[in-house]
Amino acid sequence: MSTAAAPQLVPLNADQHGLLARFAADADNSALLWASGYLAGMAQALTPTPLATAIAPAVAVQPATILYGSQTGNARRVAEALHASVQAAGLPARLVRADAYATRELANEKLLYLVVSTQGEGDPPDDAIGFTEFLHGKRAPRLPQLKYAVLGLGDSSYADFCGIARKLDARLAELGASRVQALGEADLDIDTVAAPWREQALGHARELLKPAPTAHLATVTPLRPQAATAWSHEKPFAAELLANQGITGREFKGTGFRQYGAIDKDVRHIELSLEGSGLAYEPGDALGIRHRNPDALVDAVLEATRLDGGIAVEHEGASLPLSRWLADKRELTRLSRPLLATLAERANASELAQLLEPGNSGLAALLNDHQLIDALRRWPAAWDAQALVAALRPQAQRLYSIASSRKRVGEEAHLTVDVLRYRAHGFDHLGAASGFLAGLEEGAQVPVYVEPNERFRVPADASRDILMIGPGTGVAPFRGFVQERAETGASGRNWLFFGAQHFNTGFLYQTEWQDALQKGELHRLDLAFSRDQVESSHKDVRAVSNGPRQKIYVQQRLREQGRDVYDWLQSGAHLYVCGAIGMGKDVHAALLDIVREHGDGDAEAAAEYLSSLQREGRYARDVY
Ligand SMILES: Cc1cc2nc3c(=O)[nH]c(=O)nc-3n(C[C@H](O)[C@H](O)[C@H](O)COP(=O)(O)OP(=O)(O)OC[C@H]3O[C@@H](n4cnc5c(N)ncnc54)[C@H](O)[C@@H]3O)c2cc1C
Ligand SMILES: NC(=O)c1ccc[n+]([C@@H]2O[C@H](COP(=O)([O-])OP(=O)(O)OC[C@H]3O[C@@H](n4cnc5c(N)ncnc54)[C@H](OP(=O)(O)O)[C@@H]3O)[C@@H](O)[C@H]2O)c1
Ligand SMILES: Cc1cc2nc3c(=O)[nH]c(=O)nc-3n(C[C@H](O)[C@H](O)[C@H](O)COP(=O)(O)O)c2cc1C
């Protein structure tokens, strides 16, 4: 079985060639010169150093390899910093993204630093899927020659904290490699762990590597083009809210909270002005929001801890009233392990202490169905203001897929936000960021920044077809994709699979999709309404049919269209999946079945087919 290949006149595939041509057409002389140095540096850094080996014995100059796997750039930034400091020390090192790493080189590596985040539910970031599979597969070599160190990036509000880093660290040891320093496990305050880990790694590099010969030092360090602006999570841009519109059929009126599992949905279409920010995004990127915690939640935390919001608290060089710390600076909904450990100690709660013991599966449930306030109420403790601020971590970032193309909406960004609002443990709960957005009036200021996602882009070759699978708010980036492809006159076809609980209330952007079908901007639309019990059919839209109580999901529609899905892939289509993590896994399983059934291979060949699409950048997922 093989995937469709573009004719190759140069050693680039059609997408790469298109990208390069587009860049060269726009670039002025100095940009072209800069890029040629940049690309030469990249090539040299990625090439296993034949130049260096010719100058000195292999052992002496073989560079350390710094490998990273990163979804949103954090692990990449840490790896880049390590690379820069090793090079600044005059030592040879190369920086490689995990999916650009030729795994056959592993058997010859001498010193490997691996920086990797954990995604999904203990899954590798997309760019490290292949490396992770290789290392755990039958072809992984014995590695007695290898010295290594692993730094994991994660979030201790997830059950499987730094799970992938732990697995890779253990697996390298199992293959006979020698760990030169303990596994680092960085929580959201990344530098607390990453900075000392990097220092230690540099120390080992000094011991284990010989200085690079001058020729090697002269290599151009691969630079990343600078972001268009300096807005970030720490320094967001104040965007004006232009629209905040309920787009679920029966609009939520804000008079009550849905019970856990009840069907009321409140999805908002949000429009923000980026005017004056210089913020540039591409469809596929996400917008980070710095929310303000709701006043009612701040009051509830003060009540549960029996503290006065007016007390001044000095922390990390800033002095603010406790209520300001809680409203703007601290994470007030998602739990973290360090917070729970402090709570267990202060409340003398042996039950909680037990949950925190390694391997206790009860912790995952606690992290998933308790917000901070639930834990504070469940385990009352004596707090002082200073200790509370120190125990709570800084606000975690909330990302929302951008649902627009600048080519259509200009200096605006649109979002599709499902407002998390539910009743549990006897109280009403609101998602901090989605609740913040839902409560804003037109004209309000929203602190934002762009989080690029370079792996989730419309094909550079506009003649390629695309398949987009995005139930629920997973449809957001595909609104941007379809706008982008219409505005650029892309000749490839666009096929969308969308799902929601109900046709009447959950068909997000229904009229826009129907318009797009009529205008030829969208070519196929398949729908799956999971909780509709009656059969219905709509013009231009594939019929929706549910048996009693049987849920219909997008993957069923994919299976029904399996022959066409496979044909599209065979003729070079790009495939995108966006939405909930569980959906992404089930859709992947359906795709495996489709490839197995319609291709001529077995399960292993089908898995390799999808892996190769991922490697080629033709199968991208954005799941949360
Ligand atoms: C790359 C990316 C793109 C995203 N795109 C979108 C998008 O386009 N649209 C969108 O709506 N979201 C999107 N999200 C999700 C979004 O970032 C937030 O995670 C989501 O809005 C919830 O955040 P919140 O602050 O409102 O809730 P939080 O304040 O973070 O509350 C969540 C917490 O509430 C608890 N909880 C949640 N549900 C229940 C329940 N039923 N019962 C008991 N406890 C519960 C859990 O403890 C959970 O940790 C995306 C996420 C990522 C990573
Ligand atoms: N992090 C998580 O674990 C997680 C998971 C899901 C949602 N969420 C949050 O919940 C909010 C809304 O989620 P959403 O946008 O996905 O909308 P949604 O309305 O919850 O789901 C959209 C559609 O997908 C269906 N669905 C559920 N499980 C599926 C699966 N395994 N495979 C295929 N389809 C499946 C739903 O069916 P049914 O509801 O009828 O089963 C529904 O028809 C978002 O804020 C999101 O962040 C978080
Ligand atoms: C959808 C999603 C799922 C995540 N799952 C986990 C997880 O299972 N375990 C964990 O420790 N961290 C998890 N994280 C946290 C990330 O690992 C953390 O934010 C990290 O800093 C991201 O680094 P990166 O930008 O290099 O990918 C998750 C983050 C997101 C957005």
Side-chain angles (χ1 to χ4, degrees):
M1 221 178 335
S2 69
T3 57
Q8 289 212 336
L9 301 174
V10 290
L12 300 176
N13 64 33
D15 279 352
Q16 292 167 328
H17 195 254
L19 252 171
L20 192 62
R22 258 185 12 203
F23 165 74
D26 280 354
D28 61 15
N29 213 23
S30 60
L32 287 170
L33 277 172
W34 180 87
S36 64
Y38 167 69
L39 294 172
M42 287 277 275
Q44 211 162 340
L46 292 177
T47 307
T49 58
L51 171 67
T53 43
I55 297 168
V59 158
V61 292
Q62 180 158 337
T65 294
I66 301 167
L67 203 63
Y68 67 87
S70 177
Q71 198 76 18
T72 46
N74 294 334
R76 190 199 71 221
R77 283 185 280 272
V78 174
E80 283 173 346
L82 175 62
H83 182 235
S85 60
V86 174
Q87 282 204 324
L91 300 167
R94 60 177 184 153
L95 178 68
V96 191
R97 198 173 74 183
D99 61 356
Y101 183 68
T103 46
R104 64 177 179 281
E105 288 174 21
L106 197 56
N108 298 318
E109 293 285 0
K110 295 285 187 293
L111 180 58
L112 176 76
Y113 295 109
L114 177 60
V115 184
V116 66
S117 70
T118 296
Q119 294 296 320
E121 292 160 328
D123 300 321
D126 285 343
D127 55 12
I129 292 174
F131 181 77
T132 307
E133 283 174 0
F134 170 79
L135 212 63
H136 287 86
K138 286 183 285 214
R139 295 195 187 93
R142 296 286 308 158
L143 298 168
Q145 85 298 344
L146 181 69
K147 295 189 164 43
Y148 77 96
V150 179
L151 173 66
L153 267 63
D155 176 344
S156 69
S157 71
Y158 286 89
D160 196 358
F161 178 49
C162 286
I164 283 302
R166 287 180 191 188
K167 278 192 195 115
L168 292 173
D169 181 70
R171 180 65 179 153
L172 285 166
E174 201 175 280
L175 293 170
S178 318
R179 191 185 287 114
V180 291
Q181 71 188 65
L183 168 70
E185 296 182 359
D187 207 336
L188 290 186
D189 50 342
I190 296 169
D191 266 345
T192 311
V193 170
W197 184 91
R198 280 200 331 255
E199 269 309 301
Q200 214 185 336
L202 180 60
H204 288 296
R206 284 188 210 277
E207 275 168 32
L208 297 168
L209 297 172
K210 296 242 168 77
T214 327
H216 204 102
L217 280 177
T219 61
V220 183
T221 302
L223 294 172
R224 316 205 120 247
Q226 290 299 301
T229 64
W231 307 115
S232 65
H233 185 63
E234 287 66 41
K235 190 178 159 229
F237 170 73
E240 185 188 341
L241 186 105
L242 301 174
N244 175 358
Q245 191 191 346
I247 51 169
T248 21
R250 269 177 291 142
E251 194 178 329
F252 184 85
K253 297 286 189 278
T255 51
F257 283 72
R258 62 180 186 254
Q259 295 289 328
Y260 180 74
I263 61 167
D264 278 10
K265 275 266 168 205
D266 180 17
V267 177
R268 301 297 177 103
H269 173 70
I270 304 264
E271 296 185 359
L272 296 160
S273 168
L274 301 180
E275 211 178 310
S277 67
L279 275 172
Y281 66 82
E282 296 298 321
D285 289 345
L287 204 68
I289 300 290
R290 273 217 79 151
H291 60 275
R292 185 164 207 276
N293 288 312
D295 290 344
L297 182 57
V298 172
D299 291 345
V301 169
L302 290 172
E303 193 187 318
T305 52
R306 281 173 264 136
L307 291 171
D308 174 357
I311 302 173
V313 178
E314 219 176 291
H315 184 69
E316 289 172 352
S319 178
L320 295 170
L322 176 59
S323 55
R324 276 280 319 278
W325 280 107
L326 299 183
D328 294 329
K329 306 272 180 205
R330 300 284 104 175
E331 177 58 52
L332 275 207
T333 47
R334 298 182 184 176
L335 290 169
S336 69
R337 268 159 229 251
L339 180 274
L340 288 173
T342 308
L343 180 59
E345 206 178 298
R346 286 191 161 260
N348 201 12
S350 55
E351 178 200 10
L352 180 55
Q354 260 174 24
L355 283 173
L356 286 164
E357 277 167 15
N360 191 322
S361 56
L363 182 64
L366 179 75
L367 293 169
N368 280 332
D369 67 14
H370 279 57
Q371 292 194 353
L372 169 73
I373 188 65
D374 304 315
L376 292 177
R377 285 177 178 142
R378 183 164 165 189
W379 292 289
W383 285 98
D384 63 75
Q386 186 74 42
L388 183 65
V389 170
L392 295 172
R393 64 176 170 172
Q395 200 185 75
Q397 74 169 0
R398 277 22 174 221
L399 300 177
Y400 294 90
S401 308
I402 295 176
S404 51
S405 156
R406 287 187 296 139
K407 296 192 175 67
R408 180 160 292 178
V409 304
E411 284 189 278
E412 290 181 14
H414 298 180
L415 308 177
T416 315
V417 177
D418 188 310
V419 185
L420 182 68
R421 197 188 263 114
Y422 62 94
R423 193 168 172 81
H425 313 290
F427 291 92
D428 294 338
H429 293 67
L430 194 59
S434 58
F436 164 78
L437 286 169
L440 294 177
E441 308 268 336
E442 280 175 28
Q445 308 267 289
V446 186
V448 304
Y449 55 97
V450 170
E451 188 65 60
N453 185 350
E454 281 154 25
R455 297 180 61 85
F456 210 80
R457 292 274 185 264
V458 292
D461 173 356
S463 68
R464 298 289 181 113
D465 295 333
I466 61 174
L467 288 148
M468 301 165 283
I469 302 157
T473 51
V475 81
F478 303 136
R479 184 173 180 267
F481 276 27
V482 170
Q483 289 184 355
E484 178 88 3
R485 304 245 297 174
E487 292 300 318
T488 53
S491 60
R493 292 169 300 170
N494 305 328
W495 184 356
L496 174 66
F497 289 85
F498 173 73
Q501 289 174 351
H502 299 283
F503 171 78
N504 282 334
T505 55
F507 192 172
L508 306 180
Y509 303 113
Q510 177 187 358
T511 51
E512 284 192 25
W513 298 129
Q514 287 176 327
D515 250 24
L517 279 168
Q518 267 169 9
K519 287 185 186 146
E521 294 176 356
L522 181 64
H523 303 86
R524 288 179 77 160
L525 175 61
D526 277 81
L527 300 167
F529 294 105
S530 54
R531 302 189 193 188
D532 284 343
Q533 301 294 314
V534 289
E535 186 164 301
S536 57
S537 64
H538 311 280
K539 195 168 180 289
D540 291 324
V541 166
R542 223 155 274 280
V544 179
S545 149
N546 282 4
R549 275 189 274 278
Q550 196 202 343
K551 284 195 176 182
I552 304 270
Y553 285 158
V554 280
Q555 54 271 31
Q556 181 165 334
R557 297 291 178 235
L558 275 169
R559 286 195 164 95
E560 288 162 7
Q561 305 295 321
R563 177 77 254 169
D564 285 1
V565 168
Y566 183 70
D567 288 347
W568 277 47
L569 291 177
Q570 279 295 89
S571 60
H574 288 224
L575 173 66
Y576 306 88
V577 182
C578 181
I581 294 167
M583 177 278 304
K585 290 193 170 162
D586 292 348
V587 163
H588 186 82
L591 290 167
L592 284 172
D593 290 346
I594 288 167
V595 174
R596 197 171 28 118
E597 186 183 339
H598 299 283
D600 53 7
D602 54 13
E604 205 175 320
E608 175 46 31
Y609 183 92
L610 291 184
S611 296
S612 76
L613 289 187
Q614 277 173 329
R615 285 195 297 274
E616 288 167 36
R618 283 180 49 210
Y619 172 21
R621 285 186 290 184
D622 194 8
V623 292
Y624 46 86

